[in-house]
Structure formats: structure tokens, C-alpha cells
Amino acid sequence: MDLLALADFNLVARHGGFGKASRAAGRPKATLSRRVAELEASLDLRLFERGARALKLTEEGRALFERTGQLLTELDETAAAIASGGQNPRGRLRISSPLLFSQTAMGKLAAGFSLKHPDVRLEVTTEDRAVDMVEEAYDLVIRVNPQPDESLVGRVFLHDRLVVVASPQLPQPTDGSAVPAVVRGSAEQAEVWDVTGPTAKSKISVTPVLSLSSLVMVRDAVRTGVGAGRLPISLVSHDLADGTLVHWGDVEGPEIALWTLYPTRRLLSARVSAFLGYLREAFPKGTPDELAAYLAR
């Protein structure tokens, strides 16, 4: 198999079209089209469905892309490592990170990592959905309490927990009456929050008065006294320490765990290994207090 033609096929598949691949690589579109056609002829397979407006991988093309894309990347990395003495990770590193972690910590992490590894071109996208790592060409994803996936491996690098907090000006109910609440996302007119206090479990009846899409916005709104909120302890620990907010109890349920995940079939690249190591340096214990301290720097 012609490795150069295979590399061109992967380039087109990754970018989703000959035009996009041509612009990204700075190579003629006609050359890429010819090389892919030659590969299809040599394999006696059709790798793309060519429509009037879209280019789509066939089943055989998708299988070839999934099985060869990372192998070609590893060949490039091996050659680059040999050429540089094998000391420094280099190349593009694509990471998908959830919204809250991106808003609060990822900018600082990305900048510190880039200063330490200037030959790595770090690209971070923010999204809470479950991305397809192979289809969307991600090297690493960070997710909160991900569903089990046999095709992915990883580890927990941070722990957190949800707490109910409110402004000191908002009295905590003792008679079961409902209190105003700020919630993330859509909510019904009335809810009940199960919380664990210092001595016992209890229920807090709430009436949502604000529905916001970001936990950072929820925290900022709760600070004004408009309502109580359920928030990660790392996001409000300094507010609790200085009295801006008060703690009404811990939310019952599983802890919040942040995972780093990557495909099982891939050898761990030098870039991914370097970023995982950087996370371990930033959060050696992985506790909520450690994350809160990092956010406050």
C-alpha cells in the first residue's frame, strides 16, 4: 500500500472534503483527489461517497480511517522524536473539555502547558456532549462522570462534590416552606433537594426563579441573594470562607469525578503523556480543595 496515498486519504477524511484538506495542507485539490483515486483503485474499494455537496466515508473507508489514522500519526511522531533526540513532545494535541472546567481552569492549564512544551500546538474545544474521538480527531477528552465505554481508557484526576449554598441574606427554611432557587438548565416550577447537614439529612423545597446554562452564572446569581443554588464546592469554597455565601448542606448522590479518556487501541503519544503528567503536577491529590486553590491563584 502506498503510504503517501494513505496519508492523503486520511487528510481528506479528517477534514471532511478535498477542498478543506487542500486549504489545510496547502496542497492542490486535484493532487489529493488523484492520490485518493489511485488508492481506491489499488484496493479495489470505494472509500468515499461523492455527492454534489458532501463527501462521506463509505463503511470500508471509515474502517480504513479508524485503523490507519493513528498509526500514521505515530509514524510521524516516531520520526520527529528520532530527529529531535526523542526529548520533546511536538505536534498538534486536540482536547475536548467540559464547559465549567474550561471556563474556570483550562485557560490557565493550557497556557502553562504551552510554556512548558512550546513544540506542542494545543487545541482545546469546550463541550459537554460525548464526542466521537476517532471521528472528530481528538487525542484526549476530559469528562465529568462519563458512562462506561469499552473503547476508552483513562483515570480520575479530580474529585468534587455538590453543595447547597445561599447568600447570608436569604434565610434557610426550618418549616418546610419553599425558597427561591437558581438552577442550571430548565426546571419545573417546584423541586425538592435532598441534602445532608452536619447532623442529619433533610429536604429543601425550592421554587426556581432563574434557569441559567452555566454554573458560573448560577454562582454569580446566588451571590446576589436572588436564590439558593447547588454548586461544586471548589467553585464556592472561597465564598464560604469569606462569608459571601453560607453552606446549607451537601447534595446527596455520587461525587463529581473528572476523567481523562483516550482510545484503548492507541499507543499513548508523547503529547498526551506530557499533558497527563502536567495535570498530575497541577492536581497531585485531586481534591476539591486543591482545585479551589488552583482557581484562586
Side-chain angles (χ1 to χ4, degrees), residues 211-227:
S211 298
L212 304 173
S213 63
S214 161
L215 287 175
V216 172
M217 289 194 291
V218 172
R219 179 201 59 189
D220 293 346
V222 170
R223 283 173 174 170
T224 69
V226 69

Side-chain angles (χ1 to χ4, degrees), residues 69-92:
Q70 185 61 23
L71 292 175
L72 290 172
T73 299
E74 289 164 6
L75 284 173
D76 289 341
E77 290 175 356
T78 300
I82 292 172
S84 64
Q87 296 181 8
N88 298 317
R90 61 179 60 235
R92 186 178 70 161

Side-chain angles (χ1 to χ4, degrees), residues 65-191:
F65 177 53
E66 291 180 354
R67 296 184 182 186
T68 62
Q70 185 61 23
L71 292 175
L72 290 172
T73 299
E74 289 164 6
L75 284 173
D76 289 341
E77 290 175 356
T78 300
I82 292 172
S84 64
Q87 296 181 8
N88 298 317
R90 61 179 60 235
R92 186 178 70 161
L93 176 60
R94 294 197 73 222
I95 297 175
S96 172
S97 175
L99 177 63
L100 179 61
F101 189 70
S102 296
Q103 288 177 326
T104 56
M106 199 46 143
K108 190 186 302 183
L109 283 167
F113 180 80
S114 294
L115 289 172
K116 187 173 183 178
H117 301 285
D119 293 329
V120 177
R121 189 174 73 256
L122 184 59
E123 298 178 7
V124 180
T125 60
T126 297
E127 49 205 342
D128 288 327
R129 67 183 178 87
V131 300
D132 186 323
M133 293 192 65
V134 174
E135 182 73 16
E136 300 176 57
Y138 284 108
D139 300 292
L140 184 74
V141 297
I142 297 172
R143 284 296 172 263
V144 178
N145 295 350
Q147 294 295 319
D149 189 332
E150 293 181 355
S151 67
L152 300 177
V153 295
R155 70 176 187 90
V156 177
F157 72 97
L158 269 176
H159 298 271
D160 213 336
R161 72 180 193 274
L162 284 177
V163 294
V164 176
V165 295
S167 167
Q169 284 73 45
L170 184 68
Q172 183 173 357
T174 57
D175 57 359
S177 58
V179 296
V182 183
V183 299
R184 184 188 181 192
S186 59
E188 301 296 331
Q189 287 302 307
E191 290 189 6

Side-chain angles (χ1 to χ4, degrees), residues 14 59-61 70-71 79 95 140 142 182 185 191 195-196 205 225 237 250 294:
R14 186 166 62 249
E59 184 177 344
E60 294 81 6
Q70 185 61 23
L71 292 175
I95 297 175
L140 184 74
I142 297 172
V182 183
E191 290 189 6
V195 300
T196 302
S205 297
S237 62
D250 291 3
Y294 186 86

Side-chain angles (χ1 to χ4, degrees), residues 41-54:
S42 69
L43 295 174
D44 195 22
L45 288 172
R46 186 171 58 182
L47 301 175
F48 290 107
E49 297 284 358
R50 295 164 171 81
R53 295 185 178 181

Side-chain angles (χ1 to χ4, degrees), residues 193-206:
W193 293 347
D194 294 316
V195 300
T196 302
T199 59
K201 296 180 179 180
S202 63
K203 295 181 180 295
I204 299 176
S205 297
V206 299

